[in-house]
Amino acid sequence: MSIAASMLPEFDHETANTRKMLERVPEAKFGWKPHEKSFTLGQLASHLANVPTWMAPTILQSELDFAPVGGEPFTTPQASSTAELVKFFDDNTAAAREVFADAADATFMENWSLLGGGQVHFTMPKIAGAQLYYEPYDSPSGAVECVFANAGCTPRMDTISRRRNVSYCIFLI
């Protein structure tokens, strides 16, 4: 069995849980922020919906510079509704899954670097970088879940991930 084939069930499980959370982001609270310097709930949820777009550059390139010198910095498209948020996530996840599924085992072992302004922030094997985009303990979903709770949304344990003994809940709104 290939590395990708062995990891796709977890990818599917975690992205399904993230989708459930995004489906419950209330449009009425898109503009809410926990602090004046914070991103809004809509911006955080849009970020989460767009995290899968980083899978292709991670697998297909040797590096990604999110703020290249002399170039346009990476920006996150912003959803204006919950439906658009879920569509972003569905489209982005489908594209990420396809790239992930097609990757050869040797590709996963190649190094990949994240840069900002030409400065290397970190280098790791592509397999580790790819996991950042769907594993709950490394993804931004946990932070967004906390913001949901602070926005006055009612949390309840809906789904649990026990990867590496880490449990988390998806807040239902």
Side-chain angles (χ1 to χ4, degrees):
M1 176 182 290
S2 70
I3 291 172
S6 71
M7 295 174 67
L8 281 172
E10 181 183 25
F11 177 91
D12 293 339
H13 174 78
E14 297 300 343
T15 56
N17 287 339
T18 301
R19 187 182 196 282
K20 287 178 191 177
M21 182 180 60
L22 292 173
E23 288 173 336
R24 290 158 176 83
V25 176
E27 287 176 31
K29 300 238 181 191
F30 265 37
W32 182 85
K33 329 173 144 183
H35 185 273
E36 66 185 43
K37 293 183 179 181
S38 300
F39 289 116
T40 66
L41 181 60
Q43 290 170 318
L44 289 169
S46 292
H47 170 70
L48 187 57
N50 285 285
V51 165
T53 63
W54 289 40
M55 184 70 77
T58 301
I59 299 296
L60 302 175
Q61 300 170 196
S62 62
E63 63 185 34
L64 172 65
D65 192 331
F66 60 86
V69 175
E72 288 294 316
F74 176 82
T75 56
T76 300
Q78 297 298 303
S80 58
S81 68
T82 302
E84 187 176 25
L85 188 64
V86 172
K87 180 167 178 13
F88 280 171
F89 184 73
D90 288 346
D91 292 348
N92 295 335
T93 299
R97 190 183 195 286
E98 184 176 343
V99 169
F100 189 80
D102 290 344
D105 286 357
T107 300
F108 283 115
M109 297 303 132
E110 296 170 2
N111 276 339
W112 176 81
S113 299
L114 180 67
L115 292 81
Q119 192 93 10
V120 176
H121 289 283
F122 61 80
T123 299
M124 63 178 64
K126 290 181 177 187
I127 192 169
Q131 286 178 301
L132 292 175
Y133 307 129
Y134 69 86
E135 288 189 350
Y137 57 90
D138 283 329
S139 75
S141 60
V144 173
E145 290 163 3
C146 292
V147 171
F148 283 5
N150 288 330
C153 306
T154 307
R156 81 163 204 250
M157 192 67 82
D158 183 48
T159 52
I160 298 174
S161 171
R162 289 189 170 78
R163 174 102 165 106
R164 297 188 189 169
N165 298 319
V166 174
S167 296
Y168 75 104
C169 65
I170 300 297
F171 291 124
L172 298 181
I173 297 166

